[in-house]
Amino acid sequence: MSRTAAAGRSPAGELEMTASLRDALSATGAIGATSRQLASRTLLPPDVLRTELERLASAGEVVRLGRGLWVLHDFKVLEERDDFVDPKAYVERFARENGVHVGSYRGPITFRSNEALPVHRWWPYVQGYSAEFVAGTLHRLSAGAGTTVLDPFAGSGTTLVEARRLGARAIGLELLPPAALSARVKTRFELDPGDLGEAASAVLDLGGAGPPGPLPFLRETRQQFSPRALQELRRLRAALPTGNGPADEAARLAFGRILIPSSRLRRSPCLGYGRPEARGGPSPRERFAGAIEEMREDLGTLACERPRWGPPATVLAADARAFDLPEGSVDLAVTSPPYVNGLDYVMNYKVDLAWLGYARSYADLRALRSASVACDNLPRSETAAYLASRDLPDPWLEEILSQIRSNVLRKRSYRRDDVHAVVHRYFADLTAVLRRVGRALRPGGHFLLVVGDSLLAGTYVPGDLLLARIAERLGFAIESVDVARSRRSGQRRSFELRESIVTLRRLGR
Ligand SMILES: C[S@@+](CC[C@H](N)C(=O)[O-])C[C@H]1O[C@@H](n2cnc3c(N)ncnc32)[C@H](O)[C@@H]1O
């Protein structure tokens, strides 16, 4: 038995145990620690530790936060700490230094509002935004026939679909292959519903009789699906067309769409187990047939708008930090970049990547992650150049990165000790994107970004305001920053974050 555990049996031992627990909690500061982390730090047996935590909680000394994190009461309210700069303080600083008061936007902003809309529903993308918001923006800024609209983080293609529907030429960049597939398929308005029906019938005929294809490489595939669903999905997948024709790709998108609903997984928004075994629900074959039917129906709806369609959209598998479009060739850019707290898109879409054959190994997944805008799971080799706080794109970052670094050092066992470098690289990545879009936009052209703020390692990061400030230094005017909705921090459910629309205008003539 450890010394600390044995000590807990006598009154003096109890005091020692409480002191060691307080020390451990104090070391984790505002970030907090789980009971498992505290048990390993104090060497207390988990049940003794839990009882002690409950006792301290009822005495008001410690507080339990979302995700089972414990913090000393003093750290519960981040805003009460001397070194914590809260959202309100940044909003005031922004008004003072940049002359813009943060406003608000009323209207749908998340993808949820697209789930019942023709075409947008073909590949529900939790990370996408509202088609209604995009259509309203394009309309307000006079996008239409003869104009070019760019989305440097095209995702599932929401901007591109709405731009083409309004008659504009739409260009999108997207690195995540299943999202790029969605953007391509959804903007091919001229796809013949008859061709799609034939391609799908061939999949259903062959996939009913043929042998099941190989399992994708993901080690956990058998846990993710029931044996029956897995068998059916393997047959369907083996029967999918492999060509690049519009109907081939549309059939593959329909297959991609049914993967998560046919599994024990869900995205909310991160991928995780959470769905009880689906009993009595539609089979994968039925889901596939249903997805195809919806697509055929929506193609019919789209055909009624044919005279207004813009030219075929361009979807490039290109890096938003390094693309080259002719200078001044874009009239309007609308996008939603990844957020600074780093949802790992590759991890979140690994099932789609593996089953659709875009990734054949874990090395493929890693390579894709390294090529994308920085997220929390970036390999350390990718952040090495950002460990020192040199060449920061905005002076506010100096204070922010230094606070992240000291919070992480204080906690010692934080998930990674280079979080400040990840954040630094994120803003370096987005600076490169702002520069490229600035070059492609015509003078006077607008660039709208829907982006969130974050709470990272006990530090608040005003991602929206920082991007606006960086853009200002790169030759944009900040027209407005409007809060579209509030969100909850994943680190601390009680902490309110926001999602904003940053509207920029390219200066110059
Ligand atoms: C918030 S999502 C955009 C969603 C989109 N607005 C929609 O409605 O579907 C951000 C996208 O950026 C993509 N991305 C990340 N890094 C990228 C890069 N360097 N170049 C291009 N796309 C990238 C991600 O794969 C993700 O699809």
Side-chain angles (χ1 to χ4, degrees):
M1 185 183 301
S2 73
R3 199 173 62 81
T4 326
R9 302 280 157 88
S10 66
E14 266 180 24
L15 277 179
E16 194 188 315
M17 178 173 84
T18 308
S20 100
L21 185 52
R22 276 205 199 96
D23 282 352
L25 278 164
S26 163
T28 69
I31 300 173
T34 61
S35 57
R36 191 192 292 193
Q37 290 169 330
L38 290 167
S40 98
R41 178 85 50 96
T42 57
L43 302 181
L44 287 168
D47 54 330
V48 175
L49 181 114
R50 263 195 303 277
T51 312
E52 182 61 6
L53 278 171
E54 297 297 348
R55 192 183 70 72
L56 290 175
S58 54
E61 275 200 59
V62 303
V63 181
R64 192 190 171 128
L65 303 170
R67 289 204 184 168
L69 282 177
W70 293 89
V71 288
L72 283 179
H73 184 264
D74 294 353
F75 289 105
K76 183 191 165 202
V77 184
L78 289 167
E79 291 89 332
E80 283 174 7
R81 275 172 30 215
D82 286 347
D83 59 348
F84 188 77
V85 187
D86 68 9
K88 196 162 152 262
Y90 277 115
V91 165
E92 285 166 7
R93 255 162 99 171
F94 187 68
R96 247 187 348 265
E97 294 178 24
N98 300 86
V100 176
H101 293 271
V102 173
S104 61
Y105 163 86
R106 279 184 218 302
I109 198 71
T110 65
F111 193 91
R112 179 159 296 174
S113 55
N114 300 356
E115 280 168 9
L117 292 181
V119 186
H120 295 288
R121 62 181 176 166
W122 293 0
W123 197 65
Y125 196 34
V126 199
Q127 287 74 28
Y129 54 24
S130 152
E132 191 180 324
F133 156 73
V134 174
T137 300
L138 298 180
H139 194 72
R140 184 166 56 82
L141 296 171
S142 311
T147 65
T148 299
V149 175
L150 167 71
D151 186 343
F153 297 105
S156 61
T158 311
T159 312
L160 311 187
V161 169
E162 291 306 315
R164 190 169 183 211
R165 282 184 65 195
L166 276 179
R169 178 170 135 76
I171 305 175
L173 316 172
E174 176 54 54
L175 281 185
L176 189 72
L181 172 72
S182 160
R184 279 197 305 279
V185 171
K186 282 161 60 178
T187 49
R188 284 186 184 135
F189 297 173
E190 36 290 274
L191 171 60
D192 182 340
D195 290 351
L196 179 58
E198 269 174 39
S201 301
V203 175
L204 288 165
D205 290 348
L206 269 173
L215 278 176
F217 71 91
L218 294 173
R219 287 187 281 269
E220 60 277 32
T221 299
R222 286 192 191 278
Q223 279 119 269
Q224 292 168 341
F225 300 89
S226 71
R228 198 169 145 261
L230 192 57
Q231 186 84 341
E232 229 174 84
L233 286 170
R234 286 167 72 182
R235 286 211 164 94
L236 287 174
R237 179 182 182 237
L240 283 176
T242 52
N244 288 331
D248 300 339
E249 288 214 312
R252 289 208 292 279
L253 183 69
F255 177 76
R257 174 180 171 181
I258 66 164
L259 285 168
I260 298 300
S262 304
S263 77
R264 294 170 175 146
L265 302 163
R266 66 187 171 127
R267 282 194 192 101
S268 62
C270 293
L271 187 68
Y273 291 90
R275 188 191 293 273
E277 181 103 4
R279 283 181 214 283
S283 68
R285 285 175 62 79
E286 288 162 343
R287 286 183 193 277
F288 179 77
I292 294 288
E293 245 348 276
E294 257 180 29
M295 290 168 108
R296 283 163 42 89
E297 191 183 313
D298 293 353
L299 287 165
T301 309
L302 268 180
C304 307
E305 303 171 356
R306 193 173 195 124
R308 242 194 13 216
W309 295 350
T314 308
V315 181
L316 303 167
D319 186 344
R321 298 167 301 179
F323 67 94
D324 244 335
L325 288 176
E327 204 171 328
S329 60
V330 170
D331 298 284
L332 170 63
V334 185
T335 202
S336 173
Y339 294 1
V340 70
N341 49 340
L343 176 103
D344 182 346
Y345 283 91
V346 173
M347 179 74 91
N348 232 15
Y349 290 90
K350 64 183 177 186
V351 174
D352 318 56
L353 284 161
W355 280 87
L356 289 170
Y358 291 121
R360 297 185 188 280
S361 65
Y362 285 96
D364 286 353
L365 295 182
R366 279 196 296 277
L368 194 52
R369 183 178 299 123
S370 296
S372 307
V373 161
C375 77
D376 222 7
N377 282 339
L378 205 61
R380 292 185 69 87
S381 55
E382 297 285 336
T383 63
Y386 300 90
L387 286 169
S389 299
R390 276 192 308 266
D391 306 325
L392 294 175
D394 187 83
W396 285 8
L397 279 170
E398 205 160 306
E399 188 179 319
I400 290 169
L401 299 186
S402 119
Q403 196 186 95
I404 293 177
R405 190 162 19 181
S406 69
N407 283 350
V408 169
L409 283 177
R410 184 169 182 177
K411 171 149 179 179
R412 295 197 300 269
S413 62
Y414 198 64
R415 210 163 68 77
R416 58 190 298 168
D417 61 10
D418 62 344
V419 188
H420 66 287
V422 175
V423 176
H424 185 172
R425 195 187 120 171
Y426 170 86
F427 284 102
D429 284 351
L430 265 292
T431 301
V433 178
L434 287 164
R435 201 171 266 130
R436 295 280 167 167
V437 174
R439 189 179 170 278
L441 265 180
R442 66 167 167 76
H446 285 85
F447 184 16
L448 274 88
L449 297 106
V450 175
V451 66
D453 54 0
S454 314
L455 186 67
L456 271 164
T459 308
Y460 174 68
V461 186
D464 47 359
L465 306 184
L466 278 162
L467 291 181
R469 284 166 57 88
I470 295 170
E472 194 171 50
R473 225 166 273 121
L474 295 175
F476 286 96
I478 308 170
E479 283 206 340
S480 57
V481 177
D482 295 308
V483 177
R485 70 173 180 119
S486 66
R487 305 142 52 220
R488 293 273 154 211
S489 157
Q491 275 203 355
R492 209 171 262 234
R493 303 302 297 166
S494 60
F495 195 87
E496 192 172 295
L497 293 171
R498 58 175 184 255
E499 192 164 69
S500 311
I501 304 163
V502 177
T503 304
L504 307 168
R505 183 171 34 82
R506 160 102 143 76
L507 296 172
R509 339 187 215 174

